[in-house]
Amino acid sequence: MKLIVGLGNPGREYSNNRHNAGFMCLAYLAKKHRIEFDRKKAAARIGCGRIEGIDVVLAKPQTFMNLSGESVSRLLHLFRLGPEDLIVIHDDMDLPLGKVRIRGGGSSGGHKGIDSVIRAIGTPDFVRIKIGIGRPPKDADSVDDERDIVDFVLSSFTPEEKKQLEPSIARAADAVPCLLTEGLKSAMNKYN
């Protein structure tokens, strides 16, 4: 069994935000594989099913992004899984809008949701699927880069950006069956 987590913030007001690319991808993956988010467990909305013959739990933590690790840790414990059974899908500002990158571990890169997961499960060694959202435009008048970043990730995609994003959401979701059946190296070669 594998736990596949999409990171984001719960609530309608956040649904189109850049920070919710992980939720968007998980919704696409669930629809494609006919998995319904029909239960609430471990502070997450979850759906259980099979992808390519492998049992999976899809989860959207409801703890808000910066506390995602609380839910992920509880889910791993609940389903008796380890970090090697975890795939996390999330937004990444260091990738241009529309790019997808698969990684087998490493630092959080400043992503507070990934930071929370690493702290909660005690290791950075889990698979991530990153969806590029780009960086906020530089404003010469800005004095607070951190505030600009928060405002950017919590802002919604424009219609033009949404068109650019849609193929990467599908590509990231399509990487999951490859990860499950062929492994990390093959998925990185095909989707990075």
Side-chain angles (χ1 to χ4, degrees), residues 46-170:
I46 68 167
C48 299
R50 291 175 72 78
I51 297 176
E52 299 295 323
I54 296 168
D55 290 328
V56 296
V57 176
L58 305 185
K60 294 180 184 180
Q62 301 296 290
T63 53
F64 287 92
M65 181 65 78
N66 296 358
L67 300 174
S68 297
E70 292 177 12
S71 177
V72 172
S73 175
R74 290 170 59 189
L75 287 163
L76 287 172
H77 180 74
L78 178 68
F79 290 101
R80 295 186 175 99
L81 300 172
E84 67 279 3
D85 303 310
L86 175 64
I87 298 170
V88 177
I89 306 170
H90 65 93
D91 63 290
D92 191 312
M93 284 195 327
D94 291 328
L95 290 175
L97 179 65
K99 293 291 182 191
V100 172
R101 174 96 10 98
I102 300 169
R103 195 167 167 199
S107 77
S108 68
H111 192 286
K112 293 191 183 340
I114 293 296
D115 221 18
S116 174
V117 173
I118 291 170
R119 280 193 321 272
I121 69 172
T123 181
D125 298 327
F126 56 91
V127 173
R128 300 134 201 219
I129 301 174
K130 303 175 179 194
I131 300 169
I133 61 168
R135 285 207 164 264
K138 283 285 183 192
D139 182 357
D141 297 333
S142 179
V143 292
D144 187 358
D145 285 342
E146 181 68 25
R147 183 77 244 155
D148 290 345
I149 287 170
V150 170
D151 289 346
F152 180 72
V153 298
L154 293 179
S155 66
S156 292
F157 290 104
T158 66
E160 297 78 29
E161 289 171 330
K162 193 86 167 168
K163 283 181 192 167
Q164 248 184 298
L165 179 74
E166 286 170 359
S168 63
I169 293 289

